[in-house]
Amino acid sequence: MQTMELTNKIKEKIKKHALKNIKEESCGLILSNSSVIECKNRASDNDVHFIIAAGDIKKAQKKGDVTAVYHSHIPSDFENDKLSDEDLVISEYFNIKTILYSITEDKFHEYTPTGKPMEYIGRPYIRNVLDEFVLIKDYYKKELNIEISNFSNRNAEYFLKDNEFTEVSNAKKHDVLIIKFNNDITKKQMTLYLGDNQLIIHPEFDLSKKTNYNYGLQKWTEKIFRHNKM
């Protein structure tokens, strides 16, 4: 990762972007040549979160190396505004410097990743960035050296089939289980089976966690998938 100095010129551009609309978080990218690329905040709750689309990142990369990501926090009652734990996790996961401009404090905060590996447990939930799909990708790469690369379909079953998983009848270690939590068809979710009746789940808008594969979850398991290389 290239180092990047947060110069006064960069600060001025970030602040100007943030103050264009103080009702939502601004966000963008900084290139190695100190260019500031403003991006559209794609989050549905853009007053408290920000998401930069993959397409916007690819466009920026055509102009130079991306060395940092920035966002703002809108005016609030917080006296001590700071980067969230979620911001720090994302910075570590993507190995990129993160910059926050707090409108309330009129102050900048920076975080440079340390290279600490991302654990499977305790991940924040950020759709399309850190969710059950990404958890499966990371797990299969690290534990089994199997690349999961097709993310064109976000339907769980189609996603698995597109990535060379086949439905099986009994769960073994490393399998992916589709579970209807509380037997609710609208709450289907992929989980990783670790063996010994242990699962890793990454619930929507919650931290990833390990849980027992108890009778209720077994009963609500709709399908079990195993990778063709297993």
Side-chain angles (χ1 to χ4, degrees), residues 4 10 27 30 35 40 69 78 80 94 106-107 114 147-148 156 170 186 201 207 214:
M4 190 236 34
I10 292 175
C27 58
I30 302 173
S35 295
K40 179 178 175 59
V69 60
F78 292 114
N80 296 307
F94 291 103
D106 188 22
K107 182 178 179 181
T114 62
E147 295 282 355
I148 304 295
N170 297 304
T186 66
I201 64 174
L207 299 179
N214 55 36

Side-chain angles (χ1 to χ4, degrees), residues 16-64:
K16 183 178 180 180
H17 183 198
L19 296 179
K20 285 181 182 179
N21 182 0
I22 63 172
K23 293 184 179 181
E24 65 179 53
E25 292 190 0
S26 63
C27 58
L29 305 165
I30 302 173
L31 306 184
S32 57
N33 60 9
S34 297
S35 295
V36 176
I37 308 296
E38 296 183 9
C39 297
K40 179 178 175 59
N41 186 345
R42 309 284 178 172
S44 57
D45 51 350
N46 56 25
D47 57 331
V48 291
H49 289 103
F50 78 97
I51 294 176
I52 299 176
D56 294 338
I57 296 173
K58 290 179 180 178
K59 288 180 183 178
Q61 289 173 331
K62 292 179 180 178
K63 300 177 181 179

